[in-house]
């Protein structure tokens, strides 16, 4: 899918977005719906002053947006491959969804314990009930149902030749929207999030790999559908050689997804994967696996929608894998910085690998810290600044949701640069 990128080459250390400007033909809703107040009704019956009319118009427009969320979530989650929502402009509602799922992924980094002296080393710092509270997402409207662990394959080479043969690492979690949030979203959302690569065995397992048949459905072997062996091993390796060893990441996830689909079999449900870097690849693999096995099929022959929000994700498989995902209805939105080398790997020199899904393009780079090009917090922060500027432009009742051109984009970029420079120590790469 083609994309449009606004480039500001006059700024040496520049951050640019894939947005151009035009009027908004849609009236999609917001994800974070505000509490209902009396402003809507009182404003319509108050004085006819310009300020009161403006407030009433803005409040009414917000109500209309919120009402649209419950009926339009399928489009936002890719049922039409995000047609007219990504290009030539990123729609405000989709932007909010991208940010929301990005923050779910960021929670994995905040909660992952990398202190070798800690009792929770290589696991989550917090219990399931307290995770969202501890990472600042207590108002997310979701509840964690399961923690997910992955076991990197054993590789007997320096510098990890003395590492344990099997050591499961906390890789992410499964969460489900609460009853209240389900009403606001228009469906029960099952979200599965994955962090990126942060340990040496994970990096080596991924870098020292090649294409191999996925072979996840033992009843329907497809030798031409191939994926990167490092991702596949991380997804399927287990600790069953030990007495109390972990099941594979795959077994844990398929079991939990099946349980939740059965629990909510009488409700409208969505399955959403979100991941950064390596986590994006695991999310795509899981989405393909669920669809290939038909776990998302219901007795009425309808299929539960499967979507992946990929942040800075690498290529996962070959052309046949991409085509099979499309046949199965797996929807992938790839949020990509064009300067991020991870999104071009593997297969920079050869065309054996293909990306799956629709591309949402950002472009940012900073000469002082090139690592920011792959940083999840950078992705989210820049999208948030664009969102904030969208909201400020609509304060006068103009509900186009896009802003007013090049000057606005430059202002957003300058704010983002200030934020990144002032918060460099808090940024992380995965």
């Amino acid at each position: 899918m083609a994309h449009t990128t606004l480039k500001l080459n006059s700024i040496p250390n520049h951050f640019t977005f894939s947005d151009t400007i035009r009027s908004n033909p849609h009236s999609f809703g917001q994800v974070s719906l505000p509490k209902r107040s009396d402003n809507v009704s009182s404003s319509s019956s108050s004085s006819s002053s310009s300020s009161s009319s403006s407030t009433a118009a803005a409040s009414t427009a917000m109500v209309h947006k919120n009402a649209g969320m419950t009926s339009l979530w399928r489009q936002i989650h890719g049922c039409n491959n995000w047609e007219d929502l990504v290009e030539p402009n990123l729609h405000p509602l989709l932007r909010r969804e991208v940010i929301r799922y990005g923050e779910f992924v960021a929670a994995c980094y905040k909660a992952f314990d990398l202190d070798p002296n800690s009792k929770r080393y290589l696991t989550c710092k917090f219990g399931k009930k307290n995770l969202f509270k501890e990472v600042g997402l207590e108002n997310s409207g979701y509840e964690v149902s399961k923690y997910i662990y992955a076991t990197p394959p054993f590789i007997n080479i320096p510098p990890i030749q003395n590492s344990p043969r099997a050591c499961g690492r906390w890789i992410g979690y499964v969460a489900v929207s609460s009853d209240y949030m389900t009403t606001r979203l228009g469906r029960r959302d099952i979200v599965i999030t994955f962090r990126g690569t942060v340990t040496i065995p994970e990096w080596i397992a991924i870098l020292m790999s090649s294409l191999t048949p996925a072979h996840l459905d033992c009843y329907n072997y497809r030798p031409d559908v191939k994926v990167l062996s490092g991702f596949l091993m991380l997804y399927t390796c287990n600790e069953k050689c030990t007495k109390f060893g972990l099941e594979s990441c795959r077994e844990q996830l398929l079991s939990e997804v099946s349980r939740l689909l059965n629990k909510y079999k009488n409700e409208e449900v969505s399955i959403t994967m979100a991941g950064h870097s390596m986590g994006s690849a695991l999310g795509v693999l899981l989405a393909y696996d669920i669809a290939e096995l038909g776990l998302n099929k219901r007795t009425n022959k309808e299929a539960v929608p499967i979507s992946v929000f990929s942040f800075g994700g690498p290529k996962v498989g070959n052309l046949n894998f991409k085509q099979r995902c499309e046949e199965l209805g797996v929807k992938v939105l790839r949020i990509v910085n064009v300067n991020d080398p991870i999104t071009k790997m593997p297969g920079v020199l050869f065309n054996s690998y293909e990306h799956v899904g629709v591309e949402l393009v950002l472009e940012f780079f900073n000469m002082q810290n090139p690592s920011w090009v792959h940083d999840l917090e950078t992705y989210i922060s820049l999208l948030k600044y664009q969102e904030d500027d969208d909201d400020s432009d609509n304060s006068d009742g103009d509900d186009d949701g896009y802003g007013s051109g090049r000057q606005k984009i430059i202002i957003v970029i300058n704010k983002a640069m200030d934020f990144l420079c002032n918060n460099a120590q808090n940024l992380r790469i995965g």
Side-chain angles (χ1 to χ4, degrees):
M1 182 174 180
H3 58 263
T4 303
T5 305
L6 176 62
K7 299 190 178 209
L8 301 179
N9 295 323
S10 60
I11 302 176
N13 298 334
H14 64 277
F15 300 81
T16 65
F17 295 85
S18 60
D19 293 350
T20 53
I21 308 302
R22 69 175 175 85
S23 61
N24 178 15
H26 306 290
S27 59
F28 290 79
Q30 288 192 4
V31 172
S32 300
L33 308 184
K35 294 181 179 179
R36 185 174 181 176
S37 66
D38 294 329
N39 291 337
V40 176
S41 59
S42 61
S43 297
S44 60
S45 59
S46 59
S47 64
S48 58
S49 65
S50 59
S51 59
S52 298
S53 299
S54 177
T55 301
S59 300
T60 303
M62 185 68 70
V63 171
H64 289 165
K65 279 188 173 185
N66 296 343
M69 180 60 190
T70 59
S71 59
L72 296 171
W73 67 265
R74 289 179 180 271
Q75 289 93 316
I76 298 301
H77 278 244
C79 71
N80 295 324
N81 292 316
W82 292 280
E83 184 178 356
D84 296 328
L85 299 181
V86 171
E87 61 173 15
N89 309 284
L90 176 59
H91 195 280
L93 177 55
L94 178 57
R95 185 194 309 279
R96 285 162 172 77
E97 281 285 74
V98 170
I99 292 171
R100 190 165 70 93
Y101 287 115
E103 290 177 337
F104 279 135
V105 178
C108 294
Y109 288 111
K110 295 175 184 177
F112 189 46
D113 195 336
L114 281 171
D115 181 4
N117 299 317
S118 172
K119 294 181 179 180
R120 292 181 176 269
Y121 180 49
L122 297 181
T123 64
C124 184
K125 299 176 185 177
F126 318 111
K128 290 187 293 185
K129 292 184 178 179
N130 296 324
L131 172 63
F132 285 152
K133 179 180 179 181
E134 294 290 345
V135 300
L137 293 178
E138 62 269 27
N139 296 322
S140 66
Y142 284 69
E143 300 169 355
V144 177
S145 69
K146 188 176 182 63
Y147 279 170
I148 304 300
Y149 298 82
T151 304
F154 177 71
I155 303 175
N156 190 25
I157 62 173
I160 61 167
Q161 57 186 1
N162 296 321
S163 298
R165 183 170 292 275
C167 180
R169 293 156 170 79
W170 187 72
I171 198 78
Y173 60 88
V174 181
V176 184
S177 58
S178 64
D179 292 343
Y180 175 64
M181 192 64 176
T182 295
T183 301
R184 297 169 72 182
L185 295 175
R187 86 283 186 189
R188 183 78 62 176
D189 188 29
I190 301 171
V191 59
I192 302 131
T193 63
F194 302 93
R195 63 168 174 81
T197 311
V198 294
T199 66
I200 293 176
E202 293 167 353
W203 275 114
I204 294 180
I206 291 169
L207 294 176
M208 297 186 62
S209 58
S210 58
L211 283 172
T212 187
H215 195 197
L216 294 175
D217 183 358
C218 60
Y219 297 105
N220 193 2
Y221 185 59
R222 297 178 182 274
D224 295 332
V225 176
K226 298 181 179 181
V227 297
L228 197 69
S229 59
F231 295 140
L232 186 62
M233 287 189 290
L234 191 63
Y235 182 58
T236 58
C237 280
N238 58 55
E239 298 179 13
K240 289 183 178 179
C241 58
T242 61
K243 185 175 181 180
F244 300 104
L246 287 169
E247 294 180 319
S248 68
C249 174
R250 182 196 186 205
E251 291 170 309
Q252 297 169 54
L253 286 166
L254 295 184
S255 175
E256 181 66 3
V257 169
S258 297
R259 183 186 73 83
L260 292 173
L261 288 177
N262 183 64
K263 180 178 180 179
Y264 301 111
K265 60 184 178 182
N266 296 321
E267 298 185 27
E268 192 166 20
V269 177
S270 63
I271 303 174
T272 310
M273 267 63 75
H276 173 238
S277 191
M278 171 195 72
S280 296
L282 292 177
V284 173
L285 270 179
L286 174 61
Y288 162 74
D289 200 5
I290 292 173
E292 189 71 90
L293 296 177
L295 295 182
N296 62 323
K297 297 292 180 62
R298 294 190 153 173
T299 55
N300 58 5
K301 297 184 179 181
E302 291 184 359
V304 173
I306 301 175
S307 304
V308 182
F309 288 83
S310 164
F311 295 85
K315 300 172 186 176
V316 181
N318 63 358
L319 177 61
N320 291 321
F321 175 73
K322 171 187 177 180
Q323 292 173 341
R324 184 57 182 161
C325 286
E326 293 172 349
E327 291 173 4
L328 293 169
V330 172
K331 305 299 181 180
V332 181
L333 181 64
R334 298 174 44 251
I335 301 91
V336 173
N337 173 16
V338 295
N339 292 307
D340 184 352
I342 300 298
T343 63
K344 301 174 177 62
M345 296 174 60
V348 176
L349 299 178
F350 305 99
N351 294 324
S352 301
Y353 303 84
E354 292 285 343
H355 274 302
V356 179
V358 175
E359 189 175 69
L360 165 58
V361 177
L362 304 176
E363 181 175 347
F364 55 87
F365 185 76
N366 185 277
M367 293 295 295
Q368 297 175 348
N369 194 338
S371 68
W372 286 352
V373 299
H374 186 59
D375 186 85
L376 176 61
E377 294 287 357
T378 308
Y379 275 77
I380 297 173
S381 297
L382 293 175
L383 286 165
K384 279 185 175 180
Y385 274 112
Q386 181 69 44
E387 177 193 28
D388 291 342
D389 217 51
D390 285 344
D391 291 342
S392 64
D393 281 350
N394 289 330
S395 61
D396 60 355
D398 181 9
D399 193 30
D400 66 9
Y402 288 99
S404 57
R406 181 183 176 92
Q407 182 177 4
K408 172 196 166 183
I409 300 297
I410 294 176
I411 292 172
V412 172
I413 291 168
N414 289 336
K415 289 195 296 182
M417 291 176 65
D418 291 341
F419 172 83
L420 294 172
C421 291
N422 293 332
N423 294 273
Q425 69 276 12
N426 296 323
L427 297 175
R428 57 182 63 80
I429 186 169

